[in-house]
């Protein structure tokens, strides 16, 4: 049985991908998938970058990672230095596209494989397909489901093996021998030690639900697989109720104030005059 430890986020997606790929990705992906992914991860930008290309209006085009529905990512084109305002294409004949500006930026020659015939669409399909492995919750300890008898890596020089049966001699079933020469590494420990982790906030979780990326989990009594449309509608009702309550409160305050003025009401105690005496003196100061 497994239990959920919590939800966390990483400041640097490159550090996160590096740890995930070389320790667990290698053992859950095929050789071809790993050869592609270990190189492709280094192609993504780390921040908003000026492309050197211009719009028809003479504005610079910038590019950065763009999150999309379903928890996937792609390259986005933007018209501001913070990559907030997305470039709006003018149609199919618009020459400003990711592939025209950056080419197939994911193309790298992986170990033992040649991907240079891929279009950008092909490479993005490879990337998304490989990440599908992690749409199911994975245990902290890395594993290899294909290593059913403990001999998968014997006599092979998988990404660091010496080819002399020393890599996995006497191994156990489902052992994962990763690209950093660890055996069945604790991936959670690696994330803690090698990356900058923060606890995910409710806002982070809400964004994840809107993207449709969270598996069936309970958070504060609510299922993490609720429809983003239902969630949005629920939030809208909450804000509508808050706005109505605020208006009602202000109306009541104004009505109360008018009533006090019309009736010449003077409270016995003024909260804002704490230094004043509670009672009038029995003898005037002049008489004293």
């Amino acid at each position: 049985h497994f239990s959920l430890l919590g939800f966390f986020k990483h400041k640097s997606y490159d550090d996160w991908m590096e740890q995930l790929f070389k320790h667990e990705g290698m053992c859950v992906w095929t050789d071809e998938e790993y050869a592609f992914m270990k190189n492709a991860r280094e192609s993504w930008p780390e921040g908003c970058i000026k492309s050197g290309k211009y719009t028809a209006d003479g504005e610079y085009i910038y590019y950065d990672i763009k999150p999309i529905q379903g928890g996937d990512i792609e390259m986005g084109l933007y018209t501001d230095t913070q990559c907030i305002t997305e470039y709006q294409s003018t149609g199919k004949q618009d020459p400003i596209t990711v592939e025209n500006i950056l080419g197939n930026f994911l193309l790298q020659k992986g170990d033992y494989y040649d991907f240079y015939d891929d279009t950008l669409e092909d490479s993005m399909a490879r990337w998304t397909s490989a990440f599908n492995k992690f749409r199911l919750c994975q245990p902290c300890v890395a594993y290899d489901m294909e290593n059913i008898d403990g001999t998968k890596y014997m006599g092979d020089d998988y990404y660091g093996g010496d080819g002399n049966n020393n890599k996995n001699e006497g191994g156990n079933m489902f052992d994962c021998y990763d690209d950093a020469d660890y055996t069945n590494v604790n991936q959670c420990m690696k994330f803690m030690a090698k990356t900058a982790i923060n606890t995910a906030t409710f806002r982070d979780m809400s964004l994840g639900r809107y993207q449709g990326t969270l598996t069936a989990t309970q958070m504060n009594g609510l299922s993490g697989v609720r429809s983003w449309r239902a969630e949005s509608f629920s939030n809208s009702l909450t804000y509508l109720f808050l706005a109505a309550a605020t208006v009602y409160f202000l109306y009541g305050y104004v009505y109360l104030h008018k009533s006090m003025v019309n009736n010449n009401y003077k409270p016995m105690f003024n909260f804002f005059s704490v230094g004043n005496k509670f009672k009038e003196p029995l003898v005037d100061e002049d008489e004293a």
Side-chain angles (χ1 to χ4, degrees):
H1 298 284
F2 298 97
S3 61
L4 181 65
L5 298 179
F7 293 94
F8 304 91
K9 60 183 179 182
H10 297 265
K11 289 185 177 180
S12 171
Y13 48 80
D14 184 65
D15 288 344
W16 171 75
M17 287 192 292
E18 179 186 7
Q19 296 302 316
L20 181 67
F21 290 10
K22 71 181 181 181
H23 293 302
E24 188 166 4
M26 177 181 176
C27 294
V28 298
W29 288 328
T30 65
D31 296 344
E32 181 176 347
E33 286 175 322
Y34 182 67
F36 173 79
M37 295 294 283
K38 66 179 294 190
N39 289 281
R41 75 167 182 83
E42 299 178 0
S43 303
W44 294 97
E46 295 187 61
C48 191
I49 299 177
K50 183 188 295 186
S51 69
K53 303 295 183 179
Y54 302 88
T55 67
D57 298 329
E59 296 179 324
Y60 270 114
I61 291 291
Y62 300 82
Y63 62 93
D64 196 2
I65 287 181
K66 174 187 174 182
I68 57 177
Q69 192 73 23
D72 296 324
I73 59 175
E74 64 184 18
M75 193 70 78
L77 300 179
Y78 304 88
T79 57
D80 64 295
T81 58
Q82 293 183 316
C83 289
I84 297 176
T85 305
E86 190 171 0
Y87 171 75
Q88 300 299 318
S89 174
T90 59
K92 293 183 178 180
Q93 303 301 319
D94 190 346
I96 300 179
T97 65
V98 172
E99 193 158 14
N100 285 345
I101 292 177
L102 302 176
N104 187 350
F105 65 94
L106 290 176
L107 274 186
Q108 299 286 342
K109 188 173 182 180
D111 296 333
Y112 313 125
Y113 295 94
D114 189 344
F115 303 103
Y116 277 100
D117 291 333
D118 282 5
T119 64
L120 178 58
E121 184 178 0
D122 295 334
S123 295
M124 286 304 307
R126 288 182 187 273
W127 178 271
T128 302
S129 175
F131 259 114
N132 284 337
K133 291 284 187 179
F134 297 101
R135 294 187 184 277
L136 298 176
C137 288
Q138 301 289 333
C140 285
V141 177
Y143 63 92
D144 190 335
M145 293 297 292
E146 294 183 356
N147 191 14
I148 57 176
D149 58 3
T151 61
K152 176 180 176 180
Y153 300 91
M154 292 183 66
D156 206 342
D157 53 349
Y158 271 77
Y159 308 106
D162 58 14
N164 296 317
N165 290 343
N166 293 325
K167 182 71 172 176
N168 189 26
E169 189 171 358
N172 297 314
M173 290 187 300
F174 311 120
D175 275 352
C176 171
Y177 292 82
D178 64 29
D179 205 5
D181 292 328
Y182 285 95
T183 303
N184 303 334
V185 72
N186 186 326
Q187 187 74 78
C188 299
M189 177 274 293
K190 282 295 180 181
F191 285 150
M192 179 185 67
K194 298 293 186 179
T195 64
I197 296 180
N198 291 323
T199 303
T201 64
F202 279 94
R203 179 180 181 275
D204 298 325
M205 299 296 295
S206 180
L207 290 173
R209 285 201 298 271
Y210 291 162
Q211 285 187 308
T213 59
L214 298 182
T215 55
T217 57
Q218 291 288 325
M219 184 183 69
N220 197 26
L222 299 176
S223 172
V225 294
R226 294 178 62 188
S227 167
W228 70 269
R229 293 182 178 85
E231 184 79 13
S232 178
F233 180 71
S234 177
N235 287 342
S236 299
L237 287 179
T238 299
Y239 287 118
L240 180 62
F241 176 79
L242 178 62
T246 302
V247 171
Y248 186 78
F249 171 79
L250 292 176
Y251 173 79
Y253 176 80
V254 172
Y255 183 81
L256 176 63
H257 179 72
K258 288 182 176 180
S259 298
M260 293 172 62
V261 171
N262 293 336
N263 292 281
N264 197 26
Y265 175 75
K266 295 182 179 180
M268 296 180 61
F269 175 70
N270 190 341
F271 179 79
F272 299 100
S273 301
V274 179
N276 294 343
K277 296 180 180 179
F278 289 95
K279 293 183 179 180
E280 293 293 335
L282 297 177
V283 180
D284 292 339
E285 294 181 1
D286 295 338
E287 297 179 1

